[in-house]
Amino acid sequence: MVRTIALLIGAAFLTALSFALFGTVKTSITDPTPESAEHVYRVEPENIGLKSAGLFGTFDRQQVQRGFQVFKEVCAACHSLKYVHFRDLTKLGYSEAQVKAIAQAWVIEQPSINPDTGEAATRKNVPADPFPSPFANEVAARAANNNALPPDLSLMAKAREDGPNYIHALLMGYRNQPAELVKKFPGSVTPSGLHYNPVFANLNIAMPPPLTADGQVSYTDGTKATKDQMARDVAAFLTWTAEPNLESRHGAGLASVIFLAIFCFLAWGAYQNVWRDIKH
């Protein structure tokens, strides 16, 4: 009986520890075969050292706000953020008045129905609204992007292995296709309408380079907006959209681990006290 209780306590301790440290488990994409171009020329992301990484990570709100600015001015033209609401921005330090102003000034408005005619119309965003999609539907999105469908970015940092590092590397990874690659793998020439990016799974991506030059975004906090800085900042922002409760999860996990550690110590002490007079 005592051994069973100990095993259950141990299992609970390990479960709480795993959630506290790592959250949900990500799956890895199967590596390409060694003889493929993807295997030879694929570039793995480097660690960009976001403050949110690690066992006790927290968000650098100033950086996440800069990342939101990059999303708003660059990414929002093609990508949606359907699982995030304008009111969620208060968690980043924006006041309710600022959030209301951001929502009303957002270029894409919410779809609605004209109450007088019953025809499709639009209305200004309010804080309770999710970020609207830049396209009315999938057909319109594909028509505007050479038949490619821009993915929703709400959970992208968790949908890709090594998410924040992957996002940064992908944005910085655009380059000319090496001539040696074409010589070695003649069938791997980047097709028309695609762009060579060795960070992407098959080396060719439909999305044109979104960050084209330093200073593309003018940061309100005075930070120099290099391409690398903008890529880091938007990676930080998308980490927040994917897991806005990361800080509270870390806190709850740490509290659970401490509680279970104390409970195990007390259980061990009780066990010793109960059996101390038993002769073996």
Side-chain angles (χ1 to χ4, degrees):
M1 181 64 179
V2 174
R3 181 174 298 177
T4 301
I5 294 174
L7 289 174
L8 290 175
I9 293 173
F13 179 84
L14 291 176
T15 301
L17 182 63
S18 65
F19 275 99
L21 302 185
F22 307 111
T24 56
V25 178
K26 299 178 184 178
T27 56
S28 300
I29 298 175
T30 304
D31 289 335
T33 57
E35 66 274 9
S36 67
E38 292 89 342
H39 183 274
V40 177
Y41 289 91
R42 177 87 178 273
V43 174
E44 294 297 326
E46 296 182 359
N47 185 3
I48 59 175
L50 292 181
K51 190 178 178 181
S52 57
L55 305 184
F56 308 106
T58 58
F59 290 115
D60 180 343
R61 279 165 172 71
Q62 188 173 18
Q63 181 179 40
V64 177
Q65 286 188 13
R66 292 197 303 267
F68 169 61
Q69 189 177 348
V70 176
F71 172 82
K72 179 175 66 173
E73 298 184 21
V74 179
C75 310
C78 297
H79 294 279
S80 59
L81 210 62
K82 63 183 179 181
Y83 296 118
V84 183
H85 293 69
F86 286 101
R87 64 189 174 197
D88 295 331
L89 295 177
T90 56
K91 299 177 182 178
L92 298 183
Y94 292 101
S95 67
E96 292 184 4
Q98 288 176 313
V99 171
K100 184 176 181 180
I102 291 171
Q104 290 185 340
W106 201 259
V107 175
I108 307 299
E109 297 185 342
Q110 291 289 332
S112 65
I113 300 297
N114 189 314
D116 298 323
T117 64
E119 296 180 350
T122 60
R123 63 168 175 80
K124 294 285 186 180
N125 297 284
V126 298
D129 288 324
F131 282 84
S133 172
F135 304 104
N137 50 54
E138 181 178 333
V139 175
R142 290 186 180 278
N145 291 278
N146 196 27
N147 203 39
L149 180 64
D152 180 80
L153 297 183
S154 304
L155 304 176
M156 188 58 63
K158 294 186 76 67
R160 299 292 182 267
E161 184 177 7
D162 205 15
N165 298 326
Y166 170 82
I167 292 170
H168 170 267
L170 183 73
L171 294 175
M172 297 297 295
Y174 291 88
R175 62 199 68 175
N176 293 326
Q177 188 178 44
E180 59 193 51
L181 185 155
V182 179
K183 291 180 181 179
K184 190 172 182 179
F185 301 95
S188 63
V189 177
T190 299
S192 176
L194 299 183
H195 307 270
Y196 180 73
N197 190 322
V199 180
F200 197 62
N202 64 2
L203 308 182
N204 300 305
I205 186 171
M207 179 177 68
L211 301 177
T212 56
D214 294 347
Q216 187 173 345
V217 172
S218 297
Y219 284 138
T220 56
D221 66 357
T223 300
K224 186 176 181 180
T226 63
K227 289 172 61 177
D228 179 72
Q229 184 66 57
M230 290 185 288
R232 289 173 183 270
D233 294 342
V234 78
F237 172 69
L238 294 179
T239 301
W240 173 79
T241 64
E243 195 168 9
N245 297 319
L246 177 142
E247 293 172 323
S248 59
R249 176 174 62 79
H250 282 179
L254 180 61
S256 299
V257 170
I258 293 174
F259 169 79
L260 288 172
I262 295 174
F263 180 78
C264 288
F265 176 77
L266 293 176
W268 177 82
Y271 170 79
Q272 294 296 321
N273 184 62
V274 169
W275 294 95
R276 65 182 177 180
D277 294 330
I278 303 298
K279 301 293 184 179
H280 294 284

